[in-house]
């Protein structure tokens, strides 16, 4: 399997040929999404931790496995049955993810308004999975209301509303804490700008609620501004989340890379 897949990996990692001067694409820069720079291996099969999850999770992860098999991808899966109603993620699952560095995970059901804590949050905090990345773009040949949409949303995944710090002050009064730190704000800002740099993106937009949360989101914006100074070739701007949601519906093509510290979009 590894021998058959090596040429495919080489083709995927090879740079695209430069267009000739006579073509309309002359001078265009080919775009290839990069989160971490690829490191071609020796073709030996790589282990991948597989958590089918709940609901449609097994259907989705099963389809991915079929694609991998059709591609003769040099991977094999270590499957673990984890359900959202478990009290905690088993230690052997965490160990497998740390060892393999790659995990294919279906959604885990999260109890609403009671029950055990979210296993999704446990995984994020245990493995420090601080950056959630979603790429929204038009598919060729599929008509949609808006054209030329190619948005990357990068969200801080471990603090803010995800801090999970709540307590009952007195009966009938619950306090929920939104924690923002300079360290995590700078880290997610650096991730967003580095992603933009590696993928030839032109603009990073910080989405915030600093008009109300002046200290918390103010610290986030301050961190983004400091990081933006180190990337003079990338345009930086800021937008309040209320206006951002309206703009996403009305004119989504104006956005490129978006970075935020809350759950306004998944």
């Amino acid at each position: 399997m590894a021998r058959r897949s090596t040429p495919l990996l080489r083709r995927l990692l090879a740079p695209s040929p430069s267009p000739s001067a006579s073509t309309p694409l002359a001078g265009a820069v080919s775009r290839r999404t990069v989160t971490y720079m690829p490191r071609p291996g020796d073709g030996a099969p790589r282990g991948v931790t597989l958590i089918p999850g709940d609901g449609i999770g097994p259907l989705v992860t099963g389809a991915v496995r079929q694609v991998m098999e059709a591609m003769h991808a040099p991977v094999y899966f270590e499957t673990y049955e984890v359900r959202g109603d478990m009290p905690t993620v088993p230690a052997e699952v965490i160990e497998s993810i740390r060892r393999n560095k790659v995990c294919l995970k279906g959604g885990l059901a999260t109890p609403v308004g009671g029950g055990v804590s979210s296993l999704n949050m446990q995984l994020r905090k245990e493995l420090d999975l601080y950056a959630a990345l979603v790429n929204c773009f038009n598919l060729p040949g599929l008509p949609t209301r808006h054209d030329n949409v190619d948005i990357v949303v990068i969200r801080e995944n471990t603090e803010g509303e995800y801090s999970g710090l709540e307590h009952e002050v007195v009966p009938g009064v619950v306090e929920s804490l939104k924690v923002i730190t300079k360290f995590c704000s700078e880290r997610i800002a650096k991730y967003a700008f580095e992603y933009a740099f590696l993928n030839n993106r032109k603009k990073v937009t910080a989405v915030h609620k600093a008009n109300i949360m002046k200290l918390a989101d103010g610290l986030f914006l301050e961190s983004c501004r400091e990081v933006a100074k180190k990337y003079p070739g990338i345009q930086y701007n800021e937008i309040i989340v209320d206006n951002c949601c309206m703009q996403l519906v009305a004119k989504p093509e104006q956005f490129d890379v978006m970075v935020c510290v809350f759950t306004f979009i998944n």
Side-chain angles (χ1 to χ4, degrees):
M1 180 175 70
R3 289 195 297 271
R4 295 180 64 185
S5 59
T6 300
L8 175 60
L9 290 175
R10 288 175 178 170
R11 290 199 301 273
L12 290 173
L13 296 175
S16 303
S18 301
S20 63
S22 60
T23 64
L25 296 178
V29 180
S30 61
R31 175 175 292 178
R32 175 167 56 104
T33 298
V34 176
T35 303
Y36 298 100
M37 295 303 293
R39 296 178 299 173
D42 57 4
R46 293 286 301 274
V48 174
T49 305
L50 172 62
I51 303 176
D54 300 315
I56 65 170
L59 180 64
V60 175
T61 56
V64 175
R65 292 191 67 170
Q66 292 180 13
V67 173
M68 295 294 102
E69 292 172 359
M71 293 175 60
H72 301 286
V75 298
Y76 63 90
F77 294 95
E78 298 177 2
T79 304
Y80 294 90
E81 295 299 328
V82 180
R83 298 183 308 277
D85 57 359
M86 289 181 170
T88 186
V89 180
E92 59 269 22
V93 178
I94 300 293
E95 180 183 350
S96 174
I97 298 174
R98 292 188 188 277
R99 180 177 64 252
N100 293 328
K101 311 296 185 186
V102 180
C103 176
L104 175 62
K105 171 184 163 294
L108 294 174
T110 300
V112 178
V116 299
S117 62
S118 168
L119 296 192
N120 298 302
M121 288 185 61
Q122 287 186 29
L123 281 172
R124 292 168 188 161
K125 292 188 175 182
E126 180 69 27
L127 300 170
D128 197 23
L129 304 176
Y130 67 91
L133 187 151
V134 177
N135 189 190
C136 307
F137 55 92
N138 290 111
L139 291 174
L142 182 63
T144 58
R145 179 183 296 273
H146 299 284
D147 298 322
N148 303 316
V149 176
D150 188 4
I151 306 171
V152 173
V153 179
I154 296 173
R155 186 190 68 203
E156 215 294 326
N157 227 14
T158 59
E159 59 177 26
E161 284 81 358
Y162 279 127
S163 300
L165 300 175
E166 296 182 314
H167 64 278
E168 189 173 35
V169 182
V170 296
V173 179
V174 175
E175 187 174 51
S176 181
L177 302 179
K178 171 179 177 175
V179 177
I180 297 292
T181 65
K182 188 172 182 61
F183 172 81
C184 288
S185 295
E186 286 184 345
R187 183 170 64 168
I188 197 65
K190 289 176 182 177
Y191 186 100
F193 276 93
E194 192 65 15
Y195 180 94
F197 175 78
L198 291 174
N199 291 283
N200 195 34
R201 297 279 182 160
K202 305 302 182 186
K203 181 171 64 173
V204 172
T205 301
V207 186
H208 65 92
K209 191 65 175 173
N211 57 324
I212 302 299
M213 303 176 189
K214 300 182 184 297
L215 293 179
D217 280 32
L219 177 59
F220 166 66
L221 289 182
E222 177 185 314
S223 301
C224 288
R225 292 165 187 165
E226 291 177 359
V227 173
K229 294 176 182 178
K230 301 177 182 179
Y231 295 83
I234 299 176
Q235 181 185 350
Y236 170 72
N237 66 341
E238 300 167 358
I239 186 171
I240 296 175
V241 62
D242 311 67
N243 183 28
C244 179
C245 291
M246 182 187 71
Q247 295 294 332
L248 280 170
V249 174
K251 195 178 179 183
E253 63 274 9
Q254 66 182 290
F255 295 105
D256 193 353
V257 175
M258 307 170 70
V259 60
C260 57
V261 289
F262 45 83
T263 60
F264 85 99
I265 189 168
N266 285 313

